[in-house]
Amino acid sequence: FTQQKKFSIFWLFFKSRSLNAYFKMSVLDYECLFNEFQENDEWDEYFNAMDKSDVEQELIAKSNAVNDEERPQKEYLEVLQRVFGHKSFRPMQWKIISSIINDRRDNCSIMATGYGKSLCFQYPSVYLGGVTIIISPLISLMEDQVLSMKMSNISACLLGSAQTKQKEVIDEIFEEKYNLVYMTPEFSCGDYGQGLIKRIDDAVSLILIAIDEAHCVSSWGHDFRYQYRELGKLRDLLPTVPILAVTATATHQVRGDIISTLKLRNPQILCSGFDRPNLQFIVYIKGNGLMSDLKKVMIEKNNSWSLPGSTIIYCITRKQTEDIANQVNSIKGMKCLAYHAGMSVKQRSQAHEQFAKDKIKIIVATIAFGMGIDKPDVRNIIHYGASKDLESYYQEVGRAGRDGLPSKCITFYNSADFDMHQ
């Protein structure tokens, strides 16, 4: 570490310990304080954090840099315009797509919400012909993406418990009617799913395996979705098919876990950066109750209250979700639905659909709603209670302002919230 870094961190340490008395300190006092600082284990953590930050900034700069040799040729842009309606790739998008198409290389990519990670796994099989298999955590998310692809005249389907015409769809896969096939981890890791994937590779050109929301490999794989830890089977089953792991959030440690678990080989590691300049972050200490708190962000007109634009209110527990939804519905002018894992699939699906289609403007939800929504015009993310950790918070606020327009991320919290996560 450079002397400048050491001095900077020591100065913070010095101010925190001796700000009121530093004018009266002797040289010996400074020496003793510096020795105390070096014996404190925390200083190594500070140095390591700064070093990792430097490495991350270098990775972000490298990921977003483009030279003339890397620019896409005309035929790639023609397909992009004709099929996806875009005139150009973003720098990271093209680096990923080019490495898959031209080098058949594995990738681990961290992209800020709204950057366009879906295009990275949708484009290769559309351009080359053949099939991409996409492993996704939530049925509602897969249904959204399949619907979106069909609206864009891109052939896509999903396999799993939500597919009522599974035999028919599988037959159509072998008739080469689909470029994109969505599956859950449970389906892809089961004996039947593994056999089907191998048959697809043998009979149809399998271009890519994409693991969407890849942070779940680490976070959920150690918890209740153990199948995420088994996705490395796909590398053993298909050793020559490139694998793309994409997520909007992954720490350095989680990134390493993803690469190891999925058995990625010499992966290209890219990171777009995490700055979302269109988001405004606001934090309040909880006051005397929900209504008094929400009034700080609501708009009153003709004795009726509203929130400006589509809004997700995140809560810590299912009970809190139900209670707050009832309170919001009791406010004149406000209408919302609850969403949490304790509800039936049908109830969750109906709430999701009504919110996505603007039939209601407010959803009160636990984090179960986090990855299940791909609505670009969410204007407010309100946390009524602190998130579990910073990584979870970033994932949750990632739902806001995906269209690039100004949006707000508002947190109401007190110290008791942190105890609830213990």
Side-chain angles (χ1 to χ4, degrees):
F1 298 99
T2 64
Q3 292 297 319
Q4 184 178 5
K5 286 182 181 177
K6 283 187 176 182
F7 179 79
S8 297
I9 295 176
F10 173 65
W11 176 244
L12 293 174
F13 177 81
F14 165 68
K15 289 210 309 182
S16 70
R17 297 297 301 274
S18 310
L19 185 60
N20 294 330
Y22 71 91
F23 285 118
K24 302 176 182 178
M25 290 176 65
S26 66
V27 173
L28 182 60
D29 291 330
Y30 281 111
E31 185 177 342
C32 290
L33 185 61
F34 188 70
N35 288 336
E36 180 187 347
F37 170 66
Q38 294 198 82
E39 291 170 3
N40 190 328
D41 291 338
E42 291 183 2
W43 80 305
D44 287 329
E45 295 179 16
Y46 292 136
F47 287 156
N48 290 334
M50 290 186 72
D51 190 48
K52 287 179 181 178
S53 177
D54 287 347
V55 172
E56 288 297 302
Q57 290 303 315
E58 290 174 6
L59 175 61
I60 291 168
K62 180 181 176 183
S63 299
N64 289 285
V66 178
N67 57 49
D68 290 337
E69 295 177 359
E70 294 177 322
R71 296 185 187 280
Q73 297 176 357
K74 184 178 179 181
E75 58 266 28
Y76 295 111
L77 295 174
E78 287 176 347
V79 173
L80 180 69
Q81 173 73 57
R82 174 170 50 84
V83 180
F84 295 93
H86 303 303
K87 293 182 179 179
S88 62
F89 295 100
R90 290 179 174 178
M92 264 185 65
Q93 287 176 329
W94 176 242
K95 286 185 178 184
I96 294 165
I97 291 169
S98 177
S99 73
I100 292 167
I101 291 175
N102 299 313
D103 305 324
R104 295 186 65 77
R105 186 178 179 185
D106 290 345
N107 280 264
C108 180
S109 303
I110 295 86
M111 294 181 172
T113 301
Y115 190 91
K117 61 185 175 70
S118 298
L119 180 69
C120 297
F121 54 73
Q122 292 165 354
Y123 184 93
S125 58
V126 171
Y127 176 81
L128 293 172
V131 172
T132 289
I133 290 176
I134 301 133
I135 312 299
S136 187
L138 294 176
I139 291 172
S140 60
L141 184 59
M142 291 191 289
E143 289 174 335
D144 273 359
Q145 294 200 351
V146 168
L147 179 60
S148 176
M149 290 298 95
K150 288 182 178 179
M151 290 173 65
S152 301
N153 294 316
I154 298 170
S155 55
C157 67
L158 67 87
L159 294 175
S161 60
Q163 181 54 261
T164 57
K165 300 179 180 179
Q166 191 140 292
K167 185 181 184 305
E168 180 182 331
V169 170
I170 290 173
D171 290 342
E172 290 175 342
I173 291 173
F174 288 102
E175 293 169 7
E176 302 185 32
K177 291 186 177 180
Y178 298 108
N179 291 123
L180 305 173
V181 178
Y182 287 81
M183 302 179 181
T184 62
E186 288 78 5
F187 185 90
S188 63
C189 290
D191 291 340
Y192 179 79
Q194 294 266 291
L196 177 62
I197 291 170
K198 189 67 174 71
R199 285 169 52 209
I200 292 172
D201 185 44
D202 292 339
V204 184
S205 178
L206 192 53
I207 303 300
L208 174 69
I209 296 171
I211 315 297
D212 197 10
E213 306 291 357
H215 62 280
C216 296
V217 168
S218 182
S219 59
W220 283 3
H222 291 295
D223 197 355
F224 60 93
R225 296 287 290 274
Y226 68 89
Q227 289 85 356
Y228 268 101
R229 304 301 294 178
E230 298 183 352
L231 286 174
K233 290 179 179 179
L234 297 175
R235 164 60 74 219
D236 301 329
L237 186 69
L238 305 164
T240 63
V241 177
I243 296 175
L244 166 62
V246 289
T247 179
T249 171
T251 63
H252 184 81
Q253 181 180 356
V254 169
R255 193 163 65 216
D257 197 17
I258 291 170
I259 292 170
S260 174
T261 301
L262 298 179
K263 302 180 182 180
L264 303 188
R265 295 181 301 207
N266 185 32
Q268 176 176 231
I269 302 172
L270 298 172
C271 181
S272 69
F274 303 103
D275 186 24
R276 299 282 308 283
N278 62 312
L279 301 186
Q280 179 184 6
F281 294 88
I282 305 167
V283 180
Y284 296 103
I285 300 293
K286 285 181 181 176
N288 297 323
L290 177 71
M291 184 59 184
S292 63
D293 288 335
L294 287 184
K295 279 183 177 180
K296 296 175 181 177
V297 295
M298 291 193 301
I299 297 170
E300 183 183 14
K301 186 177 181 180
N302 297 327
N303 201 31
S304 183
W305 294 90
S306 66
L307 284 160
S310 296
T311 300
I312 302 173
I313 301 176
Y314 279 116
C315 304
I316 298 175
T317 67
R318 297 178 189 178
K319 184 179 184 305
Q320 187 186 43
T321 300
E322 296 281 0
D323 291 344
I324 288 179
N326 289 333
Q327 289 185 62
V328 170
N329 280 323
S330 70
I331 302 170
K332 185 179 178 181
M334 305 277 277
K335 184 179 179 182
C336 74
L337 288 174
Y339 187 108
H340 58 72
M343 298 164 60
S344 69
V345 173
K346 183 178 180 180
Q347 288 174 316
R348 295 201 306 270
S349 179
Q350 288 175 342
H352 175 275
E353 183 178 354
Q354 288 191 57
F355 184 66
K357 294 182 177 180
D358 287 325
K359 292 182 179 179
I360 60 163
K361 289 291 187 180
I362 305 170
I363 281 281
V364 182
T366 60
I367 59 169
F369 198 64
M371 288 171 294
I373 184 69
D374 189 19
K375 183 174 170 60
D377 60 346
V378 175
R379 289 290 155 255
N380 307 286
I381 297 292
I382 298 175
H383 282 84
Y384 204 74
S387 293
K388 179 182 178 182
D389 50 40
L390 190 59
E391 186 179 358
S392 300
Y393 177 75
Y394 183 82
Q395 182 75 32
E396 290 149 17
V397 298
R399 302 303 105 194
R402 296 175 67 126
D403 55 5
L405 296 179
S407 303
K408 293 181 179 180
C409 305
I410 305 153
T411 298
F412 295 94
Y413 83 100
N414 58 28
S415 58
D417 295 336
F418 299 100
D419 296 333
M420 297 179 72
H421 290 299
Q422 298 302 317

